[in-house]
Amino acid sequence: MNWVEIKVKTTTEAIEAVSNIFYEAGVAGVVIEDPKIYLRSHDPDEWDYLDIPEGLDFEVAQVTGYLIEDSSLAERTQAIRDRISELPSYGLDIGKGEVVLTTISETDWSSAWKKYYKPTHIGKNIVIKPSWEVYKPERDEVVVELDPGMAFGTGTHETTMLCLEILEKYIKKDITVIDVGCGSGILSIASGKLGAKQVLAIDRDENAVRIARENIKRNNLETCVRAIKGDKLQNINFKADIIVANIIADVIIDLSKDVALCLKDNGVFIASGIIKDRKLSVIEALEKNGFDLIEQFEKGEWVALVSTQAPIGD
């Protein structure tokens, strides 16, 4: 089966909008290459192994997605081009706005990026380890073994790092978690490794669910982490202490109206994947749907929000 790689050269400002266009065109997941990740402030209490590549252009961000090469491909790729060209009319700087298509097999794609994916230390004790790498953990380290496949989610993007750091802070032994838009299953698996007794991982893409299940098995968490196909929180008959969604602002805004139905009393909603310019829109949606903001965290251009249901009568 061949895939077509769609790569858009744009700006940090337009990453979220371009990602949303990809999702609406049927792309299962996106790879975001934002050079401004190298400019984030260094926290002396955390590991940081980022080396800045030579010749890096900090003004050019790239969003990459993959579509199956089928009869609808031409129509979908043209729709992507058309919608990206319309973004400046909404006040967004898309930079080059260049769209490049490359036909690639799944096998070639999988092998091509593995050489760049190494064990990554996140937060105080979390280590994301590629399944093909050898790694000897230190005492107290929580090791998540991962093969992202075509579902992406390697833990290296700032939004995923934010979620992992927040989960490390909020997860207590024996709590329950729902991971909306689980991708490779990285946040669900980390939740289980951190002590959650039951985790429900949800994704609308069958390929992502398959890969998440493989990674759950790889980490010996089949008894506490379950991955299912679903659209956000629709038809979910399960309540959790923590709901985490590392998606994009527009989806989080839509999701916020349903979160309370699946959240236990005093539970928390962790929302990430929000570019700074959209933060206030997301907070407004959360407040409209009965949530109070507890904390907010930032890395580079990205924001993660932690909220809980406001007491009745507020």
Side-chain angles (χ1 to χ4, degrees), residues 301-314:
E301 298 294 321
W302 301 93
V303 179
L305 305 172
V306 181
S307 58
T308 190
Q309 288 174 274
I312 296 175
D314 277 19

Side-chain angles (χ1 to χ4, degrees), residues 244-259:
V244 58
N246 182 29
I247 317 179
I248 58 175
D250 287 339
V251 179
I252 291 168
I253 288 170
D254 183 54
L255 181 67
S256 63
K257 67 180 185 294
D258 298 321
V259 170

Side-chain angles (χ1 to χ4, degrees), residues 31-204:
V31 176
I32 295 171
E33 299 171 81
D34 184 359
K36 291 185 178 177
I37 188 175
Y38 296 101
L39 301 179
R40 74 172 190 258
S41 58
H42 175 66
D43 186 340
D45 294 327
E46 298 179 5
W47 292 289
D48 195 343
Y49 292 100
L50 292 176
D51 294 322
I52 299 178
E54 293 183 8
L56 191 64
D57 186 346
F58 288 98
E59 300 307 315
V60 179
Q62 294 188 135
V63 181
T64 304
Y66 294 83
L67 287 171
I68 294 174
E69 192 174 43
D70 60 13
S71 59
S72 68
L73 178 66
E75 181 181 351
R76 289 195 284 173
T77 53
Q78 187 58 50
I80 289 172
R81 290 180 186 276
D82 292 344
R83 292 197 59 196
I84 288 173
S85 68
E86 293 170 359
L87 292 179
S89 65
Y90 295 96
L92 280 176
D93 175 14
I94 63 170
K96 295 181 178 180
E98 180 182 343
V99 181
V100 179
L101 305 182
T102 306
T103 300
I104 187 168
S105 71
E106 183 169 359
T107 302
D108 290 342
W109 181 89
S110 298
S111 60
W113 58 263
K114 283 185 177 180
K115 61 184 177 181
Y116 301 110
Y117 181 28
K118 300 297 180 182
T120 305
H121 298 77
I122 299 172
K124 293 182 179 179
N125 295 306
I126 298 173
V127 179
I128 308 300
K129 184 188 87 67
S131 59
W132 56 89
E133 288 282 330
V134 176
Y135 180 80
K136 185 177 180 180
E138 300 290 336
R139 183 182 176 184
D140 297 329
E141 284 186 340
V142 175
V143 179
V144 175
E145 188 165 317
L146 206 68
D147 187 340
M150 291 295 289
F152 317 116
T154 61
T156 57
H157 192 264
E158 290 170 311
T159 62
T160 309
M161 290 181 179
L162 282 168
C163 283
L164 289 166
E165 291 168 4
I166 296 168
L167 287 170
E168 188 174 33
K169 176 178 179 178
Y170 276 89
I171 287 184
K172 310 297 180 187
K173 187 177 179 182
D174 293 336
I175 70 166
T176 53
V177 177
I178 296 176
D179 176 11
V180 183
C182 66
S184 63
I186 182 171
L187 301 181
S188 298
I189 294 165
S191 297
K193 294 265 185 164
L194 289 166
K197 69 176 180 181
Q198 195 173 4
V199 183
L200 181 62
I202 306 168
D203 204 288
R204 65 181 182 179

Side-chain angles (χ1 to χ4, degrees), residues 162-285:
L162 282 168
C163 283
L164 289 166
E165 291 168 4
I166 296 168
L167 287 170
E168 188 174 33
K169 176 178 179 178
Y170 276 89
I171 287 184
K172 310 297 180 187
K173 187 177 179 182
D174 293 336
I175 70 166
T176 53
V177 177
I178 296 176
D179 176 11
V180 183
C182 66
S184 63
I186 182 171
L187 301 181
S188 298
I189 294 165
S191 297
K193 294 265 185 164
L194 289 166
K197 69 176 180 181
Q198 195 173 4
V199 183
L200 181 62
I202 306 168
D203 204 288
R204 65 181 182 179
D205 180 66
E206 290 180 0
N207 187 58
V209 173
R210 174 181 60 81
I211 290 169
R213 287 172 177 167
E214 291 172 358
N215 284 320
I216 290 164
K217 184 177 182 180
R218 183 174 284 114
N219 286 271
N220 300 311
L221 289 173
E222 300 101 310
T223 58
C224 72
V225 183
R226 182 166 63 103
I228 65 170
K229 182 181 178 182
D231 185 3
K232 298 187 279 291
L233 290 171
Q234 294 178 21
N235 303 314
I236 299 300
N237 186 25
F238 177 76
K239 288 204 170 189
D241 298 288
I242 294 176
I243 295 177
V244 58
N246 182 29
I247 317 179
I248 58 175
D250 287 339
V251 179
I252 291 168
I253 288 170
D254 183 54
L255 181 67
S256 63
K257 67 180 185 294
D258 298 321
V259 170
L261 299 174
C262 295
L263 198 62
K264 292 182 180 180
D265 292 343
N266 301 314
V268 297
F269 177 36
I270 301 169
S272 187
I274 307 162
I275 203 158
K276 284 182 179 178
D277 289 347
R278 297 301 308 281
K279 180 180 75 172
L280 293 180
S281 298
V282 176
I283 292 174
E284 181 180 336

